[in-house]
Amino acid sequence: MARSNRREAGRRRLAMRLPHMRTLIMAACDPLQLKLFEAYQMAVEARDSVRRRRFNPNLVREYDETCLVIERHVIRAMQEPSYAQRTS
C-alpha cells in the first residue's frame, strides 16, 4: 500500500476507533499526526497478518499494545496543539 493510501486508511480506521475525536482526526494536517495515522495502519496490518497465520499469540498482543499506544499519541496530538511541537 502506498504511503498516502496507508496514511488515509489509518486516518479512517482511527476515526472509527475514536469516534469522539472523529472530526479532529478527519481535519488533521499536522505532519506528526499524519505520521501517526500511517504508523497506526502499519501496526494494524502487521497485527492482522500475524493473527491470520495463528502462530504467535504473543506477537499479536504486542501489536495490539502498539496500536493502543499509537491511539494514545493520536489523542494527545489532537487535544494538545503543543504536543506535536514537543515530539517533532
Side-chain angles (χ1 to χ4, degrees), residues 13 40 42-52 59-61 63-64 67:
R13 189 179 296 271
Y40 187 77
M42 290 171 68
V44 168
E45 288 172 5
R47 181 202 60 203
D48 291 350
S49 174
V50 170
R51 185 178 283 154
R52 275 191 301 276
L59 193 54
V60 172
R61 261 191 304 281
Y63 280 117
D64 278 336
C67 291

Side-chain angles (χ1 to χ4, degrees), residues 24-81:
L24 292 172
I25 289 170
M26 295 311 290
C29 59
D30 180 273
L32 171 69
Q33 295 166 343
L34 300 178
K35 286 179 185 177
L36 287 169
F37 300 161
E38 183 178 358
Y40 187 77
Q41 182 64 25
M42 290 171 68
V44 168
E45 288 172 5
R47 181 202 60 203
D48 291 350
S49 174
V50 170
R51 185 178 283 154
R52 275 191 301 276
R53 288 187 243 140
R54 300 179 188 199
F55 68 86
N56 193 338
N58 291 330
L59 193 54
V60 172
R61 261 191 304 281
E62 284 182 38
Y63 280 117
D64 278 336
E65 288 175 25
T66 298
C67 291
L68 289 173
V69 168
I70 295 170
E71 287 173 18
R72 284 187 225 119
H73 283 294
V74 168
I75 291 167
R76 286 192 61 197
M78 295 293 143
Q79 292 176 335
E80 302 175 30

